[in-house]
Amino acid sequence: MREILFKSKRADTGEWVEGYYIYHINRTICPFGDSIKPEDEQHVIMQDGFSDWNMPRDTVHFDIAPETLCQYTGLKDKNGKRIWENDIVLLREEIQDYEWKAAVKFGNPNREYNWGWQLVPVGECEMNKDILLWIDMDIANCEVIGNIFDNPELIRQTDI
């Protein structure tokens, strides 16, 4: 079974945190029905600790910057590092001795597919531009080198 996990930057410190994503709306009741204001929305990453009986304890939650929310792909690179949505990976194709960078995206960024993790090339790339991450990627030749939030110098805005 694939591990469902998210990471995001904390709203207060900008530090990356991993855990479970929760979207919560604090509804304000008024005579004319519910009123939802932007300040009522809360995006949270929750981290659980579990006791011997597998009951939650020491639950910690962090308010996050929702624009930095990334889902774990379930894959790891050649160094055992988790590969997340919005990571930038360096891929090496040894037969043709070719190297290229790509951003990890979910869904349909190239409008060719409507499912799965995809590699969106960053910069010039002569390799297949529509590679599905979970089908065609050889993990042994993939290395996470950054992400689109912390390492904007690795990409151009027009790339992804």
Side-chain angles (χ1 to χ4, degrees):
M1 178 189 276
R2 182 170 68 88
E3 183 178 16
I4 307 298
L5 193 60
F6 293 87
K7 78 172 185 176
S8 184
K9 288 191 170 202
R10 288 178 55 168
D12 57 351
T13 66
E15 171 190 3
W16 284 102
V17 290
E18 297 177 10
Y20 306 97
Y21 173 64
I22 298 172
Y23 173 69
H24 178 70
I25 299 175
N26 298 318
R27 293 184 185 269
T28 304
I29 306 299
C30 69
F32 305 107
D34 287 352
S35 172
I36 300 173
K37 301 179 290 264
E39 59 269 19
D40 292 336
E41 296 182 11
Q42 186 178 21
H43 300 268
V44 173
I45 291 285
M46 183 178 73
Q47 298 174 338
D48 286 332
F50 291 95
S51 67
D52 294 337
W53 293 83
N54 207 24
M55 297 297 290
R57 72 164 186 210
D58 301 329
T59 300
V60 179
H61 71 278
F62 304 98
D63 289 328
I64 60 166
E67 64 276 7
T68 65
L69 187 65
C70 304
Q71 186 175 4
Y72 176 45
T73 64
L75 300 171
K76 295 182 180 179
D77 74 357
K78 69 178 189 174
N79 300 316
K81 187 174 181 180
R82 289 181 173 150
I83 300 174
W84 299 86
E85 178 181 16
N86 296 313
D87 273 349
I88 300 170
V89 293
L90 181 65
L91 299 131
R92 293 179 183 88
E93 199 280 315
E94 294 176 2
I95 296 171
Q96 297 177 26
D97 191 30
Y98 192 78
E99 188 174 274
W100 58 290
K101 292 184 293 188
V104 179
K105 293 290 180 181
F106 184 82
N108 194 7
N110 295 333
R111 304 205 187 345
E112 294 290 326
Y113 303 99
N114 59 4
W115 49 271
W117 295 104
Q118 291 189 46
L119 298 173
V120 178
V122 174
E124 295 298 316
C125 176
E126 297 174 12
M127 299 298 285
N128 180 357
K129 295 181 192 252
D130 299 318
I131 296 175
L132 286 172
L133 180 64
W134 61 274
I135 291 178
D136 293 335
M137 189 176 79
D138 180 356
I139 301 300
N141 292 320
C142 172
E143 180 179 9
V144 175
I145 59 172
N147 65 62
I148 67 170
F149 306 107
D150 295 335
N151 310 100
E153 71 279 2
L154 295 176
I155 60 170
R156 299 182 314 234
Q157 280 305 105
T158 57
D159 287 331
I160 57 169

